[in-house]
Amino acid sequence: MQTTTKPSTTKAWAKAIAQPATEFSPTPLPVIAGEIPSNLRGTLYRNGPARLERGGMRMGHWFDGDGAILAVYFNSNSPLLKGGEGGSNSPLLKGGEGGSNSPLSQGGEGRAIASYRYVQTAGYQEEAAANRLVYGNYGMTAPGAFWNRWLKPIKNVANTSVLPLPDKLLALWEGGKPHALDLQTLETKGEDNLSGLSNGLPYSAHYKCDPHTGEIFNFGISPGINANLNLYKSDRTGKILQKATFTLDGVPIVHDFVLAGQYLVFFVPPVRVNALPVLLGLSCYSDALEWQPQLGTQFLIFDRETLTLVSRGETEPWYQWHFANGYVDPSGTIIVDLVRYEDFQTNQYLKEVATGQTHTPAPSSLSRVHLNPNLGKVTAIEQILDRDCEFPIVLPHLIGQAASPTFLSVHRPGLDIGTERFGAIAKFDLQTQSLTVADFGENCYPMEPIFAPDPQNPAAGWIVTVVYDGNRDRSEVWIFDSDRLDAPPVCKLELPSVVPMGFHGAWRQA
């Protein structure tokens, strides 16, 4: 029987990605409601695909867009206002918008300054000069002649996440090296090998920082007949101190992992790349991914000190992009919380996002997995929140430890999840089984929640998110009290131009 797909209706969120985003230089943000908390001191960094079109050609998947970094400096005595590059001789402090009477030249209290810049990757610069797409990517083959698909590598779009280090900001993309940027000006310095990424080793977008030791753990997947999982342990400056390699079965997609006490835990969903069409240039990576539930979900447990394998095993099939957290309970069981999908339809939905019209539902839920590291067995799987969700985070000082609550992006009730984007943020407390929701209203779309701790009490603080208001076609920054998420935001700030919905961000405390 022939089936037809229900036509989709363009939603308000599509306006945010319809045109390439416009950069802006450091700009004081007007407060449109409330006021900036005096203890909110630091910088919000966000990354995401900001350009999905070049020379009249649309990119094939939301993951293909060129990355751009938004930085919002709160109550900060930024070097932009002092000597040096942004100092007394800077255009920021001269006539016009950055003149002597500008808010930029005043003190840091009670204000926020934002800037937004594309990551100047080599591929971005080449395509900008040519005014056309030149490279293939996750969801598209290289345009032009057939032989061009072999000669052109995939473009590093640097669009997925950020890692603030003491002396630089890393723009991360899981298929290649990170790009280093200036923490203040967002000037791109170029690819960074972190003193250890030799031989083309990639560095994933989903690192984990131990809040007590300062160690940074990450990984990268090297393709091959059987892909290699490369593990990295770095110091707090990002310098890689230790590496290990583990061979996987086939070429799977591994997007994230979890730090749980003394362990690093990976779940490998039953998605494998059909490599031949990709190698022949007949298919992009996304279209060559096959859902093979008969393989089950594999899990790998590594010791965080030695990066050696402790145990491995298999369990029922599912797919996940992101983990909330992990820890080891008093019995020695590893507890892992993740956003679970029953299949890989999520990839099709995210492909459709790039077109501005979606119709493929990809329901998810927050689930908890219990692992016995000694036996290499899953002892229990339970759904802990039956609500479609994504982008889970926990309080940064509890990463790798027992943690509650979890903050997530969720849908507003009653909306079609196949056509809409997330319109609310929730706080889920498993201990009390309570769900507190901040509903942003019709046609308003918050990005991933970011927690900014109160320096006087790291267990309390604020949830900061960037919001696209589809009613007014503008972007804003909303700040919530993390303990009163269902109350109105304590502050709203207007951004100079639209910042398209993105993926991940980070908070850097002043």
Side-chain angles (χ1 to χ4, degrees), residues 115-136:
S115 58
Y116 187 48
R117 298 185 69 175
Y118 282 97
V119 184
Q120 295 293 313
T121 67
Y124 178 91
Q125 293 177 333
E126 183 179 344
E127 292 183 335
N131 193 29
R132 63 182 177 87
L133 295 181
V134 175
Y135 290 88

Side-chain angles (χ1 to χ4, degrees), residues 249-300:
D249 297 329
V251 184
I253 181 169
V254 180
H255 183 72
D256 193 6
F257 74 110
V258 69
L259 170 65
Q262 68 266 37
Y263 303 111
L264 309 178
V265 183
F266 291 80
F267 286 91
V268 182
V271 175
R272 296 293 184 272
V273 178
N274 182 0
L276 186 59
V278 176
L279 294 174
L280 294 177
L282 301 174
S283 172
C284 64
Y285 184 76
S286 174
D287 291 346
L289 291 170
E290 299 177 348
W291 174 249
Q292 300 179 11
Q294 71 277 8
L295 298 178
T297 295
Q298 300 175 359
F299 59 88
L300 307 167

